[in-house]
């Protein structure tokens, strides 16, 4: 049951905590905790995650932490958008109870010597393009789970490989937390919500729409099998490679959702069609679930 004296309604300020001690005090006596891990720059997609957490848990914690461990040396760690007051405002509007926004030195007071190995699934697709990325993700997610001790945690399905790895980590390491996936939020033109969309100018945004168009074309060919799905999506991306500005494909893959291994031409059942591409300096990812 909701107790309106202890639980903020939409519009109330969440409690902002910056250290593990403050977090522990904020959560003392709170039951049924739902965690939404984020790197801030909160947008509509994050609101979907928070609403799902709000529906399923009594207490909602949002972590806002740009995790250096998951960025490669030539990636956008320094320019990644950071605006805590705006993030807190979004959390207030979504009725979040606690915002955990630690400093880098708080999360990593010493060199992180022990990390979580993402295994072979973590080396495919995103892991191949961004070596070490998933070790960084799983390590910080484990630390957040340890600090918040949530009953459930909500992740976006837009990062399909990330949520698959988190689910697998929870299974393989017996972590006592339920993982909930939130569907990808799209703008009316099909572009998947992402904190990195703000890097795109108008022309780049126009070109970027090829990603979701390619996924739709692929999904529409699902009845004709795995090769047809890949071909249909590839056709759209080949055209987009000639557009101005061009879409520079990193990968397009049709994979088994449990392992992220490439689906064979005879694959039947669930699969994920995933794409990553660069438009200008911005790297974008997207995916769609298909049934073959
Ligand atoms: O998806 C993200 O925003 C990040 O990878 C996460 C899960 C918050 C870990 O830093």
């Amino acid at each position: 049951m909701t107790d309106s004296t202890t639980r903020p309604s939409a519009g109330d300020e969440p409690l902002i905590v910056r250290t593990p001690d403050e977090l522990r005090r904020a959560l003392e006596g709170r039951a049924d905790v739902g965690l939404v891990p984020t790197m801030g720059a909160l947008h509509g997609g994050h609101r979907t995650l928070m609403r799902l957490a709000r529906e399923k848990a009594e207490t909602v914690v949002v972590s806002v932490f740009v995790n250096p461990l998951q960025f490669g040396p030539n990636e956008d760690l320094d320019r990644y958008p950071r605006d805590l007051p705006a993030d807190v405002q979004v959390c207030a509007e979504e009725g979040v109870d606690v915002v955990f926004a630690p400093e880098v030195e708080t999360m990593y007071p010493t060199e992180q010597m022990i990390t979580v190995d993402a295994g072979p699934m973590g080396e495919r697709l995103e892991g191949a393009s961004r070596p070490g990325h998933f070790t960084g993700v799983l390590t910080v997610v484990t630390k957040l789970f340890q600090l918040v001790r949530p009953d459930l945690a909500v992740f976006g399905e837009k990062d399909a490989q990330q949520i698959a790895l988190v689910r697998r980590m929870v299974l393989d390491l017996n972590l006592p937390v339920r993982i909930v996936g939130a569907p990808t939020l799209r703008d009316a033109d099909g572009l998947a919500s992402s904190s990195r969309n703000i890097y795109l100018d108008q022309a780049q945004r126009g070109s970027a729409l090829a990603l979701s168009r390619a996924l739709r074309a692929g999904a529409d060919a699902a009845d004709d099998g795995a090769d047809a799905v890949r071909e249909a999506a590839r056709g759209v991306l080949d055209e987009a490679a000639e557009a101005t500005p061009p879409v520079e494909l990193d990968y397009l893959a049709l994979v088994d959702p449990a392992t992220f291994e490439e689906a064979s031409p005879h694959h039947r059942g669930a699969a994920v069609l995933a794409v990553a591409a660069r438009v200008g300096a911005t790297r974008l990812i997207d995916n769609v679930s298909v049934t073959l």
Side-chain angles (χ1 to χ4, degrees):
M1 268 304 284
T2 300
D3 174 355
S4 58
T5 59
T6 55
R7 179 169 169 174
S9 57
D12 283 358
E13 282 297 308
L15 208 57
I16 303 166
V17 296
R18 313 290 306 224
T19 66
D21 273 354
E22 288 173 8
L23 178 66
R24 192 179 35 76
R25 280 198 295 273
L27 293 179
E28 237 158 47
R30 301 262 197 167
D32 192 13
V33 174
L35 170 66
V36 181
T38 81
M39 297 206 299
L42 302 178
H43 51 69
H46 293 112
R47 287 183 190 265
T48 312
L49 271 59
M50 290 176 207
R51 283 174 200 171
L52 209 50
R54 181 78 286 164
E55 261 172 43
K56 293 180 182 294
E58 196 63 27
T59 302
V60 176
V61 179
V62 170
S63 61
V64 174
F65 179 62
V66 182
N67 172 36
L69 215 61
Q70 69 189 73
F71 286 78
N74 300 317
E75 295 186 4
D76 58 346
L77 174 62
D78 291 340
R79 72 173 186 135
Y80 198 85
R82 293 165 171 87
D83 186 348
L84 187 58
D87 290 341
V88 170
Q89 180 58 34
V90 172
C91 291
E93 287 164 12
E94 296 302 331
V96 167
D97 301 273
V98 178
V99 175
F100 177 46
E103 297 291 344
V104 172
E105 297 70 30
T106 307
M107 287 300 276
Y108 300 113
T110 51
E111 181 197 352
Q112 186 76 21
M113 290 177 103
I114 309 296
T115 55
V116 180
D117 179 355
M121 202 200 320
E123 285 167 15
R124 301 180 184 130
L125 305 192
E126 280 302 284
S129 298
R130 307 181 66 187
H133 171 66
F134 285 122
T135 294
V137 170
L138 294 188
T139 301
V140 81
V141 167
T142 303
K143 286 165 79 88
L144 290 168
F145 285 176
Q146 286 298 109
L147 292 167
V148 177
R149 306 268 167 158
D151 297 276
L152 66 89
V154 185
F155 291 82
E157 283 164 4
K158 176 174 161 289
D159 295 299
Q161 195 175 0
Q162 169 172 281
I163 190 171
L165 279 161
V166 170
R167 285 189 201 280
R168 189 67 202 210
M169 172 176 79
V170 162
L171 182 75
D172 286 358
L173 301 183
N174 304 90
L175 304 183
V177 54
R178 181 157 68 95
I179 304 302
V180 176
T184 302
L185 184 76
R186 296 183 184 279
D187 291 347
D189 57 13
L191 189 72
S193 291
S194 162
S195 303
R196 291 187 169 98
N197 289 352
I198 62 159
Y199 298 151
L200 299 169
D201 65 26
Q202 213 183 338
Q204 290 171 335
R205 201 177 186 289
S207 293
L209 295 179
L211 271 68
S212 54
R213 261 204 324 277
L215 296 178
R216 271 202 308 279
D220 287 347
D223 285 349
D224 298 324
D227 286 343
V229 169
R230 290 188 190 97
E231 260 170 51
R234 168 71 65 173
V236 175
L237 293 166
D238 284 349
E239 259 180 46
E242 305 298 324
T244 311
V247 173
E248 296 164 56
L249 186 62
D250 180 351
Y251 62 75
L252 169 73
L254 183 70
V255 296
D256 183 312
T259 61
F260 274 70
E261 274 183 299
E262 197 66 44
S264 83
H266 310 293
H267 185 91
R268 290 284 172 271
V272 172
L273 181 61
V275 65
R278 212 169 272 283
V279 183
T282 307
R283 189 169 181 282
L284 299 167
I285 61 170
D286 200 352
N287 73 86
V288 67
S289 293
V290 293
T291 307
L292 299 168

